[in-house]
Amino acid sequence: MRKLWTIMLMAVLTACSSAGGDASPTASVSAAPPGEPRVVARDLAVPWAIAFLPGGDALVTERDTARLLRVGQNGQVTALGTIDGVVPDGEGGLMGVAVKDEQVFVYYTAASDNRIVRYHLGGDTLSQPRVIVEGIPKGSIHNGGRLAFGPDGHLYASTGETGDRDLSQRRDSLAGKILRMTADGDPAPGNPFGTLVYSLGHRNVQGLAWDGSGRLYASEFGANTFDELNLIEPGANYGWPEVEGRGDDPAFTDPIVTWDTAEASPSGLAFAGGSLWMGALRGERLWQIPLAADGAPGTPVAHFSGTYGRLRAVTTTPDGGLWVGTSNKDGRGDERDGDDKILAVTPS
């Protein structure tokens, strides 16, 4: 039976449950619940990622259609075009998107691999495509796909192990890793192995976020037992496939929180209002993980359980709020009226 947790201002949430698994919260920290979501856009098809442009509009990728959309704060949706070379297959397709000045970066599944491509965006026109990373292994499952610029100015990408578990432990493979690179796709200065690889031993990371002190966190799909939230350190090995969840093995880095896979199956991750916010696919909820000043997690709290279905994209807005995308048209969800949607959520 799920427990109910009382949080700041004695607000009792009706849709919260404790984090499962074997990594207990370590901080006595709480956070206020968010406000009621507002629908920004509707009738989308598997919005996989959201990245904001300098002017306040957002770019949104659709995994299976390969469309790149521009979504205004007023909800107006403009299709910028279909990304050439995308070959949707199972969990692959057009996935991550990141923005730096007038450059747009997308992560997608091509005919033979996953790759990262850079475009120039002028108005509503994409031009000058350049493949900056190719040869990332692809599969019908576990393609990773998240892109995000860190506070150090470098581009980070998450990759999956495509179902080939051994790839996660191989430093010479780009699968099952977090990558760190320059805007030209070269290994970023200071990378632990002198390659693109920043951390290894991952099964399928689909969320990357930094807190206010610049610490990097990643949300990761488990197999049958434990989904994970990890604090990422350069060169660290997070254990897959030798360990799922906490292993207490000095060779591997343990997660800071775990969940039962029915409660999470996590994807997007963002930081806002002193908490991490993690979208849950199978769990159909938005997890809030309050963080202490030293980055230690408090007790996770679930919001909107079952209300909006599968939640995938989670991104911090320029004004400190959140945009959250549903993923009910991905073949594993129950489509609701108006799906798929982008929701605006205001952290309290």
Side-chain angles (χ1 to χ4, degrees):
M1 180 177 180
R2 295 188 177 111
K3 299 179 181 178
L4 294 179
W5 297 93
T6 303
I7 61 177
M8 190 168 61
L9 303 179
M10 302 302 289
V12 179
L13 303 179
T14 61
C16 59
S17 64
S18 65
D22 56 1
S24 299
T26 58
S28 296
V29 58
S30 60
E36 195 64 26
R38 171 180 62 87
V39 176
V40 176
R42 55 194 296 130
D43 300 318
L44 307 181
V46 194
W48 205 97
I50 303 167
F52 281 89
L53 295 165
D57 290 353
L59 297 182
V60 177
T61 59
E62 288 187 328
R63 187 189 69 185
D64 298 342
T65 68
R67 293 195 308 168
L68 183 65
L69 309 176
R70 184 175 192 141
V71 180
Q73 293 290 330
N74 62 358
Q76 180 177 353
V77 178
T78 304
L80 301 185
T82 301
I83 299 298
D84 290 336
V86 179
V87 182
D89 178 24
E91 295 177 3
L94 179 59
M95 294 176 284
V97 60
V99 174
K100 187 173 186 180
D101 301 321
E102 295 180 338
Q103 296 177 321
V104 174
F105 300 77
V106 293
Y107 181 119
Y108 67 78
T109 307
S112 60
D113 59 0
N114 287 305
R115 55 184 57 184
I116 301 169
V117 179
R118 186 181 70 203
Y119 286 86
H120 177 268
L121 179 63
D124 286 338
T125 302
L126 290 171
S127 63
Q128 304 173 30
R130 177 185 171 187
V131 178
I132 63 169
V133 178
E134 57 188 337
I136 302 170
K138 62 169 280 189
S140 60
I141 59 171
H142 305 173
N143 290 285
R146 193 64 58 188
L147 289 180
F149 276 95
D152 58 7
H154 294 304
L155 180 63
Y156 291 71
S158 71
T159 72
E161 36 81 301
T162 72
D164 185 345
R165 297 180 171 204
D166 293 340
L167 295 180
S168 294
Q169 291 295 322
R170 286 178 46 184
R171 286 191 195 173
D172 63 346
S173 173
L174 296 180
K177 310 293 190 296
I178 293 175
L179 312 179
R180 178 175 176 262
M181 68 199 74
T182 69
D184 291 325
D186 297 321
N191 278 7
F193 310 116
T195 67
L196 290 173
V197 174
Y198 190 68
S199 62
L200 69 157
H202 298 291
R203 184 171 184 262
N204 192 27
V205 169
Q206 287 196 0
L208 298 171
W210 289 262
D211 68 11
S213 297
R215 289 176 285 251
L216 173 60
Y217 300 84
S219 55
E220 181 163 353
F221 283 89
N224 301 312
T225 310
F226 296 127
D227 292 324
E228 300 179 359
L229 177 68
N230 286 294
L231 176 61
I232 303 300
E233 298 291 347
N237 187 329
Y238 290 84
W240 181 256
E242 304 302 323
V243 177
E244 180 184 1
R246 187 180 185 92
D248 294 318
D249 184 331
F252 305 123
T253 301
D254 286 332
I256 59 173
V257 184
T258 63
W259 288 263
D260 182 281
T261 54
E263 293 183 314
S265 296
S267 188
L269 187 69
F271 177 79
S275 294
L276 290 167
W277 304 81
M278 187 181 80
L281 292 165
R282 183 181 173 193
E284 297 191 352
R285 65 200 75 180
L286 181 66
W287 281 104
Q288 179 182 10
I289 306 99
L291 297 179
D294 63 357
T299 299
V301 181
H303 303 286
F304 319 129
S305 295
T307 303
Y308 300 102
R310 294 163 61 83
L311 302 182
R312 186 184 297 273
V314 184
T315 302
T316 306
T317 66
D319 62 0
L322 298 166
W323 275 17
V324 178
T326 70
S327 191
N328 294 319
K329 292 182 177 179
D330 62 7
R332 297 179 178 176
D334 296 321
E335 186 175 343
R336 292 157 166 79
D337 181 50
D339 277 339
D340 274 317
K341 306 178 187 76
I342 301 292
L343 308 169
V345 178
T346 303
S348 298

